[in-house]
Amino acid sequence: MNSNKTWFITGASKGFGLLFIEQLLAKGDNVAATSRSLADLEKAAGTHPNLLPLEVNLTDEQSVKQAIDATVAKFGKLDVVVNNAGYGLLGAVEELSDAESRQNFNVNVFGLLNVVRQSLPQLRAQGSGHIINISSIGGFVGSFPGFGIYCATKFAVNGLTEALAVEAKEFGINTTIVMPGYFRTNFLESDSLALPKNPIDAYTSTRESEKAHQEQINGNQPGDPAKGVAEIIKITDAPNPPLHLFLGSDAASMAEQKIAQLTAEIDAWKSVSTATDF
């Protein structure tokens, strides 16, 4: 019996997505990979009998449905769905327009939802599968100046994935939120990190954050993306994969600090919290 998995991966022309293609093909799995540009994807990933490159507009549900259908038609099944596509947005909450904010949600949240919605019928019919939503440590810790909207999209991903995990479990479907810290990908490059069209000079903390991310952090991130992808692949073979996976020592450390702060704050204000019951 063929034990090789069939994967559906979004945002596959660079970064984590491209590394998924390389590592999965090397282990003999089937990969349906999507990108906004088929030409860019084919240039980056090349050709392989087990690779199905697909041009997909994630914000168009019909485009997503066609891609899922094409995957099942070619490989006969769907085992792992990786929602990897998304982009960063660095601007203070006040200075980002409604259009800029909504576009970040359209791609990072509603695009992801389109993939989940269209893949679930196949996974339910099989009675198996694994949905992996690539979030961010910014989906658990929001205290990054200039990343409020981006963090909001990732908090949304975390919340919907926690509910999805409960809903999908009865069908034999596993669900994981991956929250990477800083990995040495092109995430902080201009083609992956959008800046506000109308910045407000008063927000010095945001400008300092922008400068630090582009000039100091970019290229010096502690995380090795190839190792990160390898660890994500490993969890799909675990009998009880995690719902929450903090990826990177920095992500784990920031999560521990947030949990400690929450615990201390709950304890400090417990009398207020419990004073509201009938």
Side-chain angles (χ1 to χ4, degrees), residues 205-223:
S205 63
T206 298
R207 297 290 82 78
E208 289 169 358
S209 177
E210 179 183 322
K211 183 176 181 180
H213 278 85
Q214 292 183 322
E215 297 179 11
Q216 297 166 28
I217 298 174
N218 190 25
N220 295 301
Q221 298 96 323

Side-chain angles (χ1 to χ4, degrees), residues 1-9 21 24-25 28-34 41 47-54 66-81 122 126:
M1 182 176 177
N2 186 356
S3 62
N4 292 346
K5 294 186 177 73
T6 293
W7 297 64
F8 183 90
I9 301 167
I21 294 175
L24 292 170
L25 292 179
D29 285 355
N30 303 317
V31 182
T34 83
L41 179 57
T47 59
H48 191 283
N50 293 358
L51 174 64
L52 175 63
L54 298 162
Q66 291 171 355
I68 296 290
D69 289 346
T71 301
V72 177
K74 180 172 177 63
F75 298 120
K77 61 175 183 170
L78 180 59
D79 297 302
V80 187
V81 175
Q122 175 67 28
Q126 295 172 174

Side-chain angles (χ1 to χ4, degrees), residues 8-21 34 58 81-87 107-108 111-112 115 132-135 150 154 178 180 185-187 229 232:
F8 183 90
I9 301 167
T10 67
S13 64
K14 58 188 176 182
F16 271 27
L18 186 57
L19 287 167
F20 268 111
I21 294 175
T34 83
L58 293 178
V81 175
V82 181
N83 277 298
N84 171 68
Y87 71 95
V107 174
N108 291 5
L112 175 148
V115 174
I132 298 175
N133 290 335
I134 308 293
S135 178
Y150 174 76
K154 295 304 186 178
V178 178
T185 67
N186 59 348
F187 177 76
V229 167
I232 297 171

Side-chain angles (χ1 to χ4, degrees), residues 89-97 100-101 144-149 195-196 198-200 202-207 210:
L89 180 61
L90 202 170
V93 171
E94 181 187 352
E95 64 188 359
L96 290 170
S97 68
E100 289 170 305
S101 301
F144 297 97
F147 282 96
I149 297 300
L195 300 176
N198 297 296
I200 299 171
Y203 284 101
T204 55
S205 63
T206 298
R207 297 290 82 78
E210 179 183 322

